[in-house]
Amino acid sequence: MQRHRFAAPAVHDMVFVAARELHVIEQVQPLPSQDVRVRVVHPTGFERAAADHLRVTRQGLAYFSRVFGDYPYPVLTVVVPPAEAEAVSGMEYPTLFFTSGPWWGTSTPLHLGAIETTAHELAHQWFQGMVATNEVEHPALDEGLTSWATGELLRELHGRHGSAGS
C-alpha cells in the first residue's frame, strides 16, 4: 500500500484518478512567472495520443498564459481515459482535466475532435477555473468564454483555415 498526500491551495473543486495500468508522461512548460509541470495520464496503447495531448496542452498553456495571464498552479494533469470510461471525457477541475481518447484507433494522429477537447478543457482552467463562475446561472461566463477561447487557440495553432473556427 502507498499513501500520497496532495495540497492544492486556492482551488474551488477537486478530483483524483486511480486505476491500474495507467502511465504518465510529463514535460515542463516554461511560463513568464513559473514553470508548469504538465502530466498526461493514459492507458496502455495510448502513447501517441498522450504525446499529442501533451503537445497541445503545452502550446495552449503558453498561448493562454500570454493572452489571459499565467496559469497559477505548478502542475497540470491531463487524463486520457480508456474507452470504457469515456463518459468522463470533457470534465474540468482546477489543475486537472479529462480529455478524449483515440477510441477509433491508436495508429493515426489524434482526430481534431480530441484536440479540440483538450483545447476546450484547458481553456476551462481560466474560465470556470480561475474566474470560478456559476456555470448554471451564467453559462456564457463559463462555456461561452471557454468556447470562444478554444477557437482562438485552435486558430493560433492551426491557422484560420486549418482549425475548426473560421
Side-chain angles (χ1 to χ4, degrees), residues 34-143:
Q34 70 172 337
D35 290 345
V36 176
R37 186 166 42 118
V38 181
R39 298 186 294 207
V40 179
V41 179
H42 65 91
T44 301
F46 286 16
E47 288 77 16
R48 183 164 180 176
D52 287 343
H53 286 298
L54 179 61
R55 177 183 47 79
V56 170
T57 301
R58 290 185 66 214
Q59 291 171 328
L61 276 170
Y63 175 75
F64 288 145
S65 291
R66 187 174 70 247
V67 173
F68 301 125
D70 272 353
Y71 184 73
Y73 307 109
V75 177
L76 175 60
T77 303
V78 180
V79 179
V80 183
E84 56 273 7
E86 72 175 304
V88 302
S89 295
M91 288 300 301
E92 74 282 346
Y93 303 88
T95 77
L96 182 147
F97 64 83
F98 294 90
T99 189
S100 298
W103 301 297
W104 52 87
T106 57
S107 62
T108 59
L110 271 184
H111 184 272
L112 181 59
I115 295 298
E116 182 180 11
T117 302
T118 295
H120 184 86
E121 299 313 319
L122 177 60
H124 273 299
Q125 295 296 304
W126 279 263
F127 302 106
Q128 194 276 335
M130 287 186 267
V131 175
T133 60
N134 181 329
E135 56 194 314
V136 175
E137 288 186 28
H138 306 289
L141 295 178
D142 178 19
E143 287 302 332

